[in-house]
Amino acid sequence: LSAVVAARAQLQQEPLAETTDGTGINISCSHPNIQRTELIYWYHQLPGRGPEYLVSANKESKELPDGAGHLWVSSDRKSSALYLSRPRRGDSAVYYCALGD
């Protein structure tokens, strides 16, 4: 599994994260200038498709559907990490984090 993550202004993501089939992986995002009203969003984009919403959170961690993993948010909200608990080869995608009201 190869997860390519893309950086955006005000956000920093690792450029590449890899794991083997079925082994959990953390994909991290730093957002040090997050505003009080902004939520943290995560998306993924599979090859040949548009971006798809995965999960969003304010302060609390959130579980992904079907036990696929969870979104962790730091106590100061300046970083987050998407944990995929049992990724498969078909989960290879570009993973984006984003901020928004």
Side-chain angles (χ1 to χ4, degrees), residues 70-92:
H70 62 265
L71 171 60
W72 171 85
V73 179
S74 65
S75 58
D76 62 5
R77 301 192 338 117
K78 293 185 177 184
S79 63
S80 63
L82 183 69
Y83 176 70
L84 304 177
S85 58
R86 44 184 195 277
R88 299 289 179 234
R89 192 173 305 274
D91 295 324
S92 292

Side-chain angles (χ1 to χ4, degrees), residues 27 29 31 38-45 51-73 80-84 95-100:
I27 305 170
C29 182
H31 27 83
E38 289 181 312
L39 295 177
I40 301 158
Y41 295 87
W42 279 84
Y43 299 83
H44 72 167
Q45 186 171 10
E52 295 179 37
Y53 169 81
L54 289 175
V55 65
S56 61
N58 183 3
K59 298 183 218 180
E60 70 287 349
S61 295
K62 286 271 188 80
E63 294 297 315
L64 294 176
D66 302 323
H70 62 265
L71 171 60
W72 171 85
V73 179
S80 63
L82 183 69
Y83 176 70
L84 304 177
Y95 287 80
Y96 299 94
C97 67
L99 303 177

